[in-house]
Amino acid sequence: QEFLAFLKQIERAYRHVVGGQGAPVELHLVMDNYAAHKHQNVRDWLADNPRFVVHFTPTHASWMNLVEVWFSLIERQAIHRGVYGSVKDLNAKIRAYIESWNDRAHPFTWTKTAEQILQDAKRNGTSNARH
């Protein structure tokens, strides 16, 4: 329900945004494979709103998702150990962080080659999952 409400909020916010020749612009969503993103109600809504184009990240590939890194930065640099009297206070703290981030924004850059990343992914785990 919450995700569907979020999609509807996006639709309302961008309802009147048009591109070339007055056609509505496509809105691209990059999402993980969380069950809520694939619920039948969400699939039905997306089918009725074709300007939303969905791209799913590969299953079990959250380590590739740089937005996870960004969320980690927000948590560590802005909200960790904070005390917030309300959701409004928490939102204000997050928005202030985002504004500051945007003032000094720079792209994330991979520091390893694809081969190095894949080699790390192939390493054996440190615990025995068969116990």
Side-chain angles (χ1 to χ4, degrees):
Q1 291 175 346
E2 291 87 3
F3 184 63
L4 196 53
F6 174 67
L7 291 176
K8 291 175 182 179
Q9 180 181 358
I10 294 170
E11 193 282 325
R12 283 190 304 275
Y14 291 93
R15 183 175 289 159
H16 302 292
V17 177
V18 294
Q21 301 169 359
V25 297
E26 288 183 337
L27 301 171
H28 291 260
L29 305 173
V30 179
M31 303 186 296
D32 62 14
N33 287 282
Y34 186 56
H37 299 158
K38 295 183 172 185
H39 189 276
Q40 187 62 49
N41 291 347
V42 171
R43 291 194 322 239
D44 291 346
W45 189 88
L46 288 168
D48 290 340
N49 292 273
R51 71 186 293 199
F52 283 77
V53 180
V54 177
H55 308 276
F56 287 102
T57 59
T59 303
H60 305 297
S62 62
W63 58 272
M64 291 175 43
N65 191 351
L66 288 179
V67 75
E68 301 277 348
V69 173
W70 196 72
F71 288 146
S72 174
L73 289 170
I74 291 174
E75 195 280 327
R76 287 183 284 124
Q77 296 178 1
I79 61 177
H80 184 70
R81 296 189 182 183
V83 177
Y84 309 99
S86 68
V87 172
K88 183 178 180 181
D89 291 344
L90 176 60
N91 280 336
K93 183 69 172 184
I94 292 170
R95 289 193 182 280
Y97 179 84
I98 292 169
E99 287 175 16
S100 173
W101 176 274
N102 287 340
D103 288 342
R104 55 181 167 62
H106 59 279
F108 287 110
T109 304
W110 289 108
T111 58
K112 291 186 177 185
T113 66
E115 291 78 19
Q116 290 171 314
I117 292 169
L118 291 172
Q119 185 61 38
D120 287 348
K122 290 178 185 175
R123 285 191 315 208
N124 291 331
T126 57
S127 65
N128 181 356
R130 291 178 271 160
H131 49 80

